[in-house]
Amino acid sequence: MARISCDFRFLLIPAAFMFIYIQMRLFQTQSQYADRLGSAIESENHCTSQMRGLIDEVSIKQSRIVALEDMKNRQDQELVQLKDLIQTFERKGIAKLTEGGQMPVAAVVIMACSRADYLERTVKSVLKYQSLVASKYPLFISQDGSDQGVKSKALSYNQLTYMQHLDFEPVITERPGELIAYYKIARHYKWALDQLFYKHKFSRVIILEDDMEIAPDFFDYFEAAASLMNRDKTIMAASSWNDNGQKQFVHDPYALYRSDFFPGLGWMLKRSTWDELSPKLKENHKGRQFIRPEVCRTYNFGEHGSSLGQFYSQYLEPIKLNDVKVDWKAKDLGYLTEGNYTKYFSGLVRQARPIQGSDLVLKAQNIESDILIRYKDQAEFERIAGEFGIFEEWKDGVPRTAYKGVVVFRIQTTRRVFLVGPDSIMQLGIRDL
């Protein structure tokens, strides 16, 4: 019995050691869990603090958003009021221009951008003659961009209405190397014409640029052209410009011509024609033609502009601006209608004396009648045109100023020179040439 008790005591010693070991391990594990729990509580407190900070920041930003929305709503209301006010002023201005029941012949718009000095010279020239017929030709300036000098100059005139075109859309050219300026100009033209035709409801618009002077009979000429365009739907536009209008190539201030080439540089368009052109802004003649004078009714002094002075010294600077006050109301322009003009023009060509070979300029100078010179293709036309000094350029297969392939200009003051294309004789119906 004593031996058994001794054996139990020996067993208790390892059990005590095992108990102590287990307790130490439990204590160590509890300490680790306590440390982890403390870290977790500390992280939770930190996250809670950050969340409270974010909530405060979101609340502040929400308050700012609400304040900005309120400001935007107020600005939108002010903008609506401002637009209403502008439209009211414009309606009053148009009403004043048309008071007395007289409808305008055409609105006149000067297209401007960043040349305040040029604009001043142009407006001065236009007002010299427009002030006498202001009710027939209400005057506008349309500025492309925000040049402050141009805007201030435009707003300094109380005889006209100011419009501003702001375009921030990027320009994508159709072909590499094209000037972006021409695309921006086209956008400005579309915007301005849409404004004048569709917002202000004008039936015709005369487009000028900010580097032009006009002739004394400029407005009478366009009034006669408007009447002609009403009679003949095949006339797409009337222009005051002749590309070959240099002093040495013109003579008769009464002479007008039809042309398949768009002259530009001071031209009048009808709303019905713009209805076709505006959606795509593409030139589409559909067999129609343009009226142009022999002697220009506009003069372009813009040596510095989007075309970078191209052709200025050779072709623009020598242009003759008409100085004769033609009574266009007394002129019968029936010969310019489609039914009459081909017969009229072919008669002029038929009476001209044909010449050919070399030294064409010398031969033409020694003949006392109109002269006819035939060319077989564009290359030959350019060579002959270069000899005489007229424009050599073609566009879409048409030489500048041409009618059915025929380019006409004066030599030695009075005599005409007709450069006649390979298909011109057939198109003009001339059989005995």
Side-chain angles (χ1 to χ4, degrees):
M1 186 70 180
R3 185 179 177 183
I4 295 173
S5 300
C6 184
D7 289 339
F8 273 113
R9 286 196 295 268
F10 280 114
L11 290 173
L12 288 171
I13 293 172
F17 278 113
M18 182 61 69
F19 177 77
I20 293 170
Y21 174 76
I22 292 172
Q23 291 296 319
M24 290 177 65
R25 293 286 302 191
L26 287 172
F27 178 77
Q28 185 180 8
T29 302
Q30 287 175 347
S31 297
Q32 289 176 349
Y33 280 128
D35 291 340
R36 290 179 182 177
L37 181 60
S39 297
I41 292 172
E42 185 179 351
S43 297
E44 183 180 1
N45 292 335
H46 180 68
C47 288
T48 302
S49 177
Q50 285 187 325
M51 186 176 294
R52 287 175 179 172
L54 288 173
I55 291 171
D56 292 341
E57 187 175 347
V58 169
S59 298
I60 293 171
K61 288 185 176 179
Q62 285 180 335
S63 299
R64 290 179 179 174
I65 290 172
V66 171
L68 288 173
E69 288 179 346
D70 291 340
M71 183 182 297
K72 179 182 178 298
N73 291 333
R74 289 196 301 272
Q75 289 178 341
D76 287 344
Q77 292 175 358
E78 291 174 356
L79 181 60
V80 170
Q81 293 173 353
L82 183 59
K83 286 182 177 179
D84 289 341
L85 185 61
I86 291 172
Q87 290 176 354
T88 299
F89 282 136
E90 288 179 343
R91 285 194 296 268
K92 288 181 178 178
I94 300 301
K96 184 177 180 181
L97 291 169
T98 59
E99 64 185 2
Q102 184 178 35
M103 293 301 295
V105 175
V108 180
V109 59
I110 301 171
M111 310 296 284
C113 182
S114 58
R115 303 182 295 187
D117 54 340
Y118 279 17
L119 178 62
E120 182 177 19
R121 180 173 170 182
T122 298
V123 173
K124 182 178 180 181
S125 173
V126 173
L127 288 178
K128 181 178 180 180
Y129 305 109
Q130 185 265 355
S131 59
L132 302 175
V133 289
S135 61
K136 291 183 178 182
Y137 298 96
L139 183 59
F140 293 77
I141 289 177
S142 181
Q143 180 187 2
D144 187 25
S146 56
D147 184 275
Q148 191 57 46
V150 169
K151 185 174 183 178
S152 298
K153 179 58 64 178
L155 291 173
S156 69
Y157 299 101
N158 57 17
Q159 303 97 319
L160 53 81
T161 301
Y162 171 74
M163 306 189 302
Q164 185 176 30
H165 174 239
L166 298 175
D167 181 10
F168 302 107
E169 291 294 323
V171 174
I172 301 175
T173 60
E174 294 180 359
R175 292 175 291 274
E178 290 184 305
L179 287 175
I180 290 176
Y182 290 139
Y183 284 83
K184 295 186 76 65
I185 290 171
R187 289 181 183 178
H188 181 204
Y189 269 68
K190 174 175 169 51
W191 179 85
L193 289 171
D194 282 347
Q195 291 285 306
L196 294 169
F197 279 127
Y198 302 138
K199 180 180 179 180
H200 295 300
K201 307 298 183 183
F202 288 108
S203 57
R204 303 178 199 87
V205 176
I206 298 172
I207 301 96
L208 291 170
E209 296 174 14
D210 62 352
D211 54 3
M212 292 181 177
E213 294 179 334
I214 66 173
D217 63 339
F218 177 89
F219 293 108
D220 290 343
Y221 165 75
F222 275 111
E223 186 166 2
S227 177
L228 183 63
M229 291 168 70
N230 287 340
R231 295 164 56 189
D232 187 349
K233 306 304 180 184
T234 67
I235 299 173
M236 189 171 187
S239 175
S240 58
W241 184 259
N242 173 15
D243 283 302
N244 293 320
Q246 296 78 22
K247 296 178 178 67
Q248 66 271 30
F249 299 130
V250 298
H251 169 69
D252 187 359
Y254 296 88
L256 303 180
Y257 298 86
R258 289 178 77 111
S259 174
D260 298 305
F261 189 96
F262 173 53
L265 294 180
W267 50 287
M268 181 171 67
L269 191 69
K270 294 188 301 184
R271 188 194 305 166
S272 58
T273 305
W274 184 243
D275 290 341
E276 301 175 26
L277 300 177
S278 179
K280 294 184 178 180
L281 202 62
K282 292 289 185 182
E283 196 173 308
N284 185 0
H285 294 185
K286 292 184 178 179
R288 293 169 295 188
Q289 286 138 0
F290 307 91
I291 300 298
R292 67 164 182 87
E294 178 173 313
V295 183
C296 290
R297 265 57 187 187
T298 47
Y299 179 79
N300 188 297
F301 57 83
E303 183 175 4
H304 306 290
S306 300
S307 61
L308 307 178
Q310 187 182 25
F311 305 133
Y312 181 78
S313 60
Q314 182 177 0
Y315 297 113
L316 299 182
E317 190 174 24
I319 287 288
K320 176 178 175 57
L321 178 64
N322 179 57
D323 55 4
V324 177
K325 191 69 167 70
V326 176
D327 183 7
W328 288 107
K329 292 180 180 179
K331 295 287 292 181
D332 181 6
L333 301 183
Y335 71 96
L336 289 164
T337 59
E338 184 184 33
N340 297 329
Y341 189 74
T342 301
K343 181 179 179 181
Y344 163 79
F345 191 74
S346 62
L348 296 178
V349 175
R350 188 182 292 108
Q351 294 172 13
R353 177 176 171 180
I355 62 173
Q356 58 184 339
S358 58
D359 299 325
L360 292 173
V361 177
L362 181 61
K363 290 178 181 177
Q365 290 173 342
N366 291 324
I367 295 175
E368 296 300 322
S369 65
D370 290 347
I371 298 105
L372 184 149
I373 303 171
R374 302 184 72 163
Y375 64 89
K376 64 178 182 296
D377 53 28
Q378 181 175 346
E380 187 172 24
F381 172 85
E382 291 174 350
R383 178 184 63 79
I384 297 170
E387 290 182 21
F388 282 94
I390 65 169
F391 250 110
E392 305 170 24
E393 185 185 21
W394 287 43
K395 183 179 180 183
D396 298 329
V398 180
R400 283 183 181 260
T401 76
Y403 172 71
K404 299 188 182 301
V406 180
V407 172
V408 56
F409 58 95
R410 302 277 181 170
I411 186 171
Q412 291 185 333
T413 307
T414 60
R415 290 175 290 116
R416 293 184 179 94
V417 176
F418 297 92
L419 303 186
V420 180
D423 302 321
S424 301
I425 299 301
M426 180 179 66
Q427 292 181 36
L428 290 172
I430 300 175
R431 301 182 182 276
D432 55 348
L433 188 64

